[in-house]
Amino acid sequence: MSKQERATRTRNALIRSAAELFERHGYVRASLDEISSGANVSRGALHFHFENKAAVADAVEQAAAQTLRETADSVPLGQESAMQHLMDLSHRMVQLLHHDVVVRAGFRLNCDTGPRTPLDLRQQWQTRVQQLVTRAADEHALATGVSPEGLVATIVATTVGLEVLSRANRGWLSPTPLTNFWQLLLPSVASPPTLPTLQPAGTPTHPLPATTHHPHHTPTH
């Protein structure tokens, strides 16, 4: 293994260790000693990569944002309707939040600790929802009188709300709550010709992209 590869693995291990501690204890209570210990590296190795705890938190947020972008871009729209693509993407995001501690911690840090980086993960998700709802309107897939802006707000509020609720009960990130939401919403917002074609539980898609930026801890020092 080259020196650069070892450095990358050390940095990734630190990001994952920090994410686990930020999720478990919050940003304020997590310490640099705990982060370095969790990654099986020295405190000096941590400071080689990160100046302070804020820099570590920034890296967690950046890693989370990268994974969310890769997930959103991993399945092209293709022949799928925009509404179905939106449902599939919402299921993939919830699945990612359920299984990936770096994404959960990054989302929580970004949304709860105030402006520290130019990232806005909620806004990124809202922009993606807006794009797909606009396309659904262009496809005449929305019922008469449905406000695209109102639909975007409803979808974003619900999906982001599932992340908040999951902090006390991870079951909110199982497929059932999101599927129930779509089952209740679709009859009110989908056009009659479109509604029978939609699958609220999502359609089979490609596996989530590999998250190479935060592997399991590897002792490197």
Side-chain angles (χ1 to χ4, degrees):
M1 184 186 300
S2 69
K3 184 176 180 180
Q4 182 177 358
E5 288 172 331
R6 286 196 298 273
T8 298
R9 293 185 71 173
T10 298
R11 188 177 189 279
N12 290 340
L14 287 164
I15 289 173
R16 183 178 180 88
S17 175
E20 291 173 347
L21 288 164
F22 292 151
E23 181 183 44
R24 190 179 310 130
H25 302 306
Y27 174 79
V28 173
R29 291 178 57 197
S31 71
L32 291 177
D33 284 335
E34 289 176 309
I35 292 170
S36 58
S37 176
N40 295 323
V41 302
S42 67
R43 180 73 176 264
L46 183 150
H47 284 294
F48 176 81
H49 292 278
F50 303 108
E51 180 180 0
N52 50 37
K53 187 165 66 171
V56 183
D58 291 350
V60 171
E61 289 183 38
Q62 293 283 353
Q66 177 185 339
T67 300
L68 289 168
R69 285 194 300 270
E70 290 171 353
T71 299
D73 295 339
S74 61
V75 179
L77 187 57
Q79 300 301 313
E80 190 178 49
S81 71
M83 281 298 296
Q84 187 63 59
H85 189 83
L86 177 55
M87 285 187 289
D88 290 351
L89 190 56
S90 69
H91 278 285
R92 289 168 68 80
M93 189 182 87
V94 166
Q95 180 187 2
L96 194 62
L97 284 164
H98 182 79
H99 293 289
D100 193 319
V101 66
V102 174
V103 171
R104 287 197 305 274
F107 206 92
R108 184 169 182 174
L109 284 167
N110 186 253
C111 297
D112 291 358
T113 58
R116 189 179 53 248
T117 72
L119 285 173
D120 187 334
L121 299 184
R122 286 178 181 169
Q123 184 59 52
Q124 287 183 15
W125 172 238
Q126 181 171 334
T127 298
R128 185 67 62 137
V129 173
Q130 177 72 61
Q131 292 169 345
L132 289 169
V133 168
T134 298
R135 179 154 179 170
D138 292 341
E139 294 174 353
H140 305 291
L142 302 184
T144 302
V146 170
S147 161
E149 294 78 11
L151 179 57
V152 170
T154 299
I155 295 169
V156 171
T158 300
T159 49
V160 171
L162 291 175
E163 184 275 329
V164 175
L165 289 168
S166 74
R167 299 175 190 179
N169 180 356
R170 191 70 60 80
W172 285 104
L173 294 178
S174 68
T176 301
L178 186 59
T179 299
N180 289 342
F181 162 71
W182 285 116
Q183 288 173 334
L184 289 168
L185 181 68
L186 289 175
S188 300
V189 301
S191 66
T194 302
L195 183 59
T197 71
L198 300 176
Q199 300 182 50
T203 55
T205 58
H206 301 291
L208 290 173
T211 52
T212 56
H213 54 266
H214 44 83
H216 294 295
H217 304 165
T218 303
T220 54
H221 288 72

